[in-house]
Amino acid sequence: MRYKGLLLLWLLTDLAVFIGSYALAYFVRVGWILSTDFPFEPYITVVAISAPLWLVVLITTRTFALTRSQGSMRNLAYIIYSSAVGTALFALGYYFFYGLFFSRMLLLYALVISTVTIWIWHLLYSKFQRAMLRKDPPVFPTLIVGVTRESRELIKKLNKGSNPLKPVAVLDGRGCKDSDIDGVPVRGKLNKLEDVLNEGITHLIQCSDLEQVLNLLSACRQKKITYMLLPSVLGIVERDEKVESLEGQPVTMVGPRESKLMWFFK
Amino acid sequence: MHAFILAGGFATRLWPLTEKRAKPLLPLAGVPLIEYLVRDIPADVPVTISTNAVFQDAFEDWAKSFGRANVEILIEDTKSDDHKLGALGATAQWIKDAKIDDDVLLLTGDNYCGFSFDAFLASACEDTTLIAVHDIGDLSKASAFGTVIADGTQVNGFEEKPQKPKTTLVNTGCSLLPKSVLPILIDHAAEHPDNVGGVFEEILNRGKAIKCFSFSEPWFDIGSFDAYIEATKELVGDSVIEEEGSSLTDTTCSGSVVLGARSKVSGSDLTDVVIFEDCHIEYCVLSNCVLDKGCQLKGIDLTGKMLREGTKLIRDE
């Protein structure tokens, strides 16, 4: 409920920020007056009509996904792409309603200002959202399975970055001497799995114990828990891995590192 | 004489088969492991099975179905692996609480012993500790167990999982303790509540003799998935055990296959597979697998897997 409320608030505030950024672009271009040559009211009306369509485009880029880092270049690229579509939608809408085109500079301002303000807003809001989601009791308590150097690093990263997936327990198939890792209690071996999962775990991240993939997946399916697997458990390290599809059959693909441009063609 | 069976472990290495089941209650060739031990103990010997509260109901249900009158389930007051009394600690506690003043046949509940307890007990000497030892026949294998250095039937020493074993005789977790050594056990348990093997060294150190009963019949310490599969292969051989209400349709079986009650398999290839009760398997190729009860598999190939209870893997056409 907390997550859905925060998400709804995010979507609504995004609409407000989008409309606001276009209003700002108007005044920057026209001056701090309400021009009679280029009236503000029809302009902002079309912005308001375009805004939900722009938001749908932004949603399809999965920028609101729980695991998305708002500060990543990939996310910025998606925001730029959505903003460009938003500007096009606005220009098209204005022409559709009033049969007019107008200042190309205003469109440029709108594109730049909406991109920057949306990105900054996303950075701020995701920080706020993460803090709210991690407040006790956390919305997404996460179980880490397997104590390895990589899982220790992962726990530190999740805590340092205030990731919404808050590690609350660690289990290890072979046992572990540590009583906690970065403040997260090590609860024992896999025989504690059922007890820990019954404490409301929403996500499980497997970091070792390859032989138990099926059983951990089975437990997650039964309890409607999201399962994640570090590629290193499969021996996939230091290469580009991604889930692809061969004739509809999902495959994990590991290729040599190549130019980012090749991503579009492979 | 009184038999005392240690069955309080949480068997984490056999997870997930032991997720909701004590290891001594694991079916081996269709029979709970502990049943092999209890049914061979002379009928007039009272049996106490020491376990923990988590498995209390399961052991009580088993005891009821087994139907031997002089079996008692003793509950160690512990809910998790972290708060165990320890195997030797639990034994000592029982000796004190039940005021045992008799010889004790001490057994570990996760061992399968192929020899006859009658023969073992018949070889006992008055007021002398007797342990059952198995000649594992390979020094490299012996390093995984507690070994027994003996001269004939006279035990001279012990080594716990030695890197370079001097002998292929391994301690099997079956021993007869005369009542005169029980105070030694209680003393030792106070310091080393988990070290059952260590009590025999202590008995030797206190100048008491220990004899060994060597046997060549099969013996298994069911401590891991591999050991469980190996024990199944040995006991079942190249055959199929089909329990009540189970069915095999258009299925090829090779090696040792155990099909639990009400389990149905069709259109599959099974090689060395143990399927517990109420499983449904269709169009699968399974090799060296153990499936806990209630698993549903369709169109899946698996090798060397233990699947937890209720696992559902359905590959649609």
Side-chain angles (χ1 to χ4, degrees), chain B residues 12-80:
Chain B
T12 52
R13 283 186 300 151
L14 269 166
W15 189 90
L17 298 182
T18 50
E19 190 173 30
K20 295 174 184 170
R21 181 190 290 111
K23 189 159 58 168
L25 291 177
L26 264 181
L28 182 61
V31 176
L33 193 49
I34 200 165
E35 210 163 304
Y36 290 106
L37 294 176
V38 178
R39 72 188 182 189
D40 201 34
I41 295 170
D44 60 329
V45 175
V47 177
T48 298
I49 297 170
S50 170
T51 186
N52 59 67
V54 176
F55 302 127
Q56 179 176 1
D57 292 347
F59 272 105
E60 284 175 352
D61 289 348
W62 167 80
K64 205 180 286 177
S65 69
F66 186 61
R68 176 170 165 157
N70 56 356
V71 172
E72 175 205 16
I73 308 297
L74 179 71
I75 304 305
E76 193 184 309
D77 186 20
T78 166
K79 285 279 183 191
S80 75

Side-chain angles (χ1 to χ4, degrees), chain B residues 162-200:
Chain B
Q163 284 190 330
K164 290 181 182 170
K166 296 171 186 147
T167 170
T168 54
L169 292 180
V170 301
N171 199 349
T172 60
C174 169
S175 57
L176 178 64
L177 301 167
K179 64 180 179 182
S180 63
V181 303
L182 299 186
I184 300 175
L185 184 150
I186 292 169
D187 285 352
H188 191 70
E191 296 287 315
H192 309 283
D194 268 321
N195 190 359
V196 178
V199 77
F200 300 109

Side-chain angles (χ1 to χ4, degrees), chain A residues 173 187 189-194 197 210-216 218-223 249, chain B residues 10 12-13 15-16 18-20 80-82 302 304-313 315:
Chain A
R187 300 276 298 272
K189 297 183 186 176
L190 285 172
N191 60 324
K192 303 271 177 69
L193 182 77
E194 191 84 2
L197 294 185
L210 175 63
E211 70 280 9
Q212 300 297 2
V213 168
L214 282 174
N215 293 310
L216 293 172
S218 163
C220 288
R221 276 195 203 102
Q222 283 174 357
K223 297 189 180 296
Q249 169 85 34
Chain B
F10 285 91
T12 52
R13 283 186 300 151
W15 189 90
T18 50
E19 190 173 30
K20 295 174 184 170
S80 75
D81 216 7
D82 312 325
L302 291 176
K305 297 286 181 198
M306 283 192 285
L307 297 191
R308 75 193 288 268
E309 183 181 324
T311 293
K312 197 173 170 185
L313 294 170
R315 191 191 296 275

Side-chain angles (χ1 to χ4, degrees), chain B residues 206-286:
Chain B
R206 301 245 190 140
K208 297 262 187 184
I210 298 181
K211 296 274 183 189
C212 66
F213 168 84
S214 185
F215 64 94
S216 54
E217 290 87 349
W219 165 77
F220 305 106
D221 174 11
I222 313 292
S224 65
F225 171 69
D226 290 338
Y228 182 68
I229 288 282
E230 278 312 308
T232 301
K233 285 181 187 172
E234 183 75 28
L235 293 183
V236 178
D238 281 337
S239 65
V240 179
I241 295 178
E242 290 184 67
E243 291 178 28
E244 194 184 347
S246 63
S247 71
L248 282 169
T249 315
D250 301 326
T251 293
T252 310
C253 296
S254 48
S256 311
V257 174
V258 181
L259 191 56
R262 300 172 300 282
S263 284
K264 317 269 181 215
V265 182
S266 61
S268 300
D269 287 345
L270 308 179
T271 307
D272 297 323
V273 174
V274 180
I275 298 170
F276 289 15
E277 58 269 35
D278 300 308
C279 293
H280 288 261
I281 316 295
E282 279 181 78
Y283 312 116
C284 291
V285 180
L286 307 178

Side-chain angles (χ1 to χ4, degrees), chain A residues 174-233:
Chain A
R174 287 163 189 81
C176 164
K177 286 178 184 168
D178 304 61
S179 60
D180 74 284
I181 296 170
D182 201 39
V184 182
V186 178
R187 300 276 298 272
K189 297 183 186 176
L190 285 172
N191 60 324
K192 303 271 177 69
L193 182 77
E194 191 84 2
D195 293 342
V196 176
L197 294 185
N198 285 337
E199 291 168 11
I201 295 293
T202 58
H203 291 71
L204 182 151
I205 307 177
Q206 186 175 358
C207 305
S208 73
D209 302 321
L210 175 63
E211 70 280 9
Q212 300 297 2
V213 168
L214 282 174
N215 293 310
L216 293 172
L217 266 169
S218 163
C220 288
R221 276 195 203 102
Q222 283 174 357
K223 297 189 180 296
K224 297 186 172 23
I225 289 169
T226 304
Y227 169 87
M228 298 179 183
L229 175 75
L230 288 191
S232 59
V233 179

Side-chain angles (χ1 to χ4, degrees), chain B residues 96-113:
Chain B
K96 284 189 284 186
D97 291 351
K99 297 184 174 56
I100 300 297
D101 186 26
D102 207 349
D103 295 350
V104 172
L105 176 62
L106 183 63
L107 303 166
T108 45
D110 56 357
N111 277 217
Y112 171 86
C113 299

